[in-house]
Amino acid sequence: MPKDSHQLHVTFIDKEGDEHIFEVASGDNLLDIAQSEELEMEGACGGSCACSTCHIIVESQDHYDLMPEPDDDENDMLDLAFGLTETSRLGCQVKMAKELDGLRVRLPSMTRNLQKSDFEGGKKGG
């Protein structure tokens, strides 16, 4: 039996508190899932871990603890996120895996579109 034949489930809780449950494949990241399902998750940097607009809040500490630790780039961007919590992650950095089946994530009520380039001292065009 192919390993990707087992569908995983993830629940997104939107800003209004409505739950959206999706069947997804192992290896899919939460930003791609949300955008393909037309949920309100911006991903301004295209999933390159250079903004905080795909900030999500993992509902379960147990699921959060099963995820790989955020790297320095992700932590830097999370520091800019609105409503940061102990279980905040960037959706572009969370890939679905068998152990995350049943994952529940909440979309924050707001996002900030601050990008890495905003802090690199480059002059904006004009």
Side-chain angles (χ1 to χ4, degrees):
M1 185 155 112
K3 64 179 179 168
D4 60 0
S5 66
H6 176 67
Q7 288 291 304
L8 305 175
H9 297 87
V10 60
T11 302
F12 287 86
I13 303 161
D14 67 21
K15 296 171 179 154
E16 285 75 44
D18 296 328
E19 295 192 6
H20 306 269
I21 302 170
F22 304 113
E23 286 192 351
V24 299
S26 182
D28 290 351
N29 77 53
L30 297 184
L31 172 62
D32 290 344
I33 295 165
Q35 290 187 333
S36 70
E37 299 294 345
E38 300 185 357
L39 291 180
E40 208 176 316
M41 187 185 291
E42 185 176 352
C45 74
S48 63
C49 199
C51 75
S52 62
T53 59
C54 66
H55 172 216
I56 51 106
I57 299 162
V58 180
E59 289 277 283
S60 157
Q61 184 71 49
D62 290 340
H63 273 135
Y64 182 85
D65 291 341
L66 291 171
M67 296 174 180
E69 290 276 312
D71 64 17
D72 290 345
D73 286 342
E74 183 178 357
N75 278 322
D76 288 348
M77 291 299 103
L78 283 169
D79 286 343
L80 307 173
F82 179 85
L84 190 65
T85 74
E86 288 295 310
T87 60
S88 288
R89 292 297 302 263
L90 295 182
C92 69
Q93 298 301 299
V94 176
K95 288 189 172 42
M96 286 302 294
K98 178 174 74 211
E99 60 272 16
L100 297 179
D101 189 25
L103 178 66
R104 293 170 54 83
V105 298
R106 181 175 296 278
L107 304 182
S109 57
M110 285 178 56
T111 61
R112 285 193 187 125
N113 188 3
L114 294 174
Q115 298 187 25
K116 209 180 275 187
S117 57
D118 294 339
F119 300 94
E120 290 175 349
K123 293 197 175 199
K124 301 224 174 207

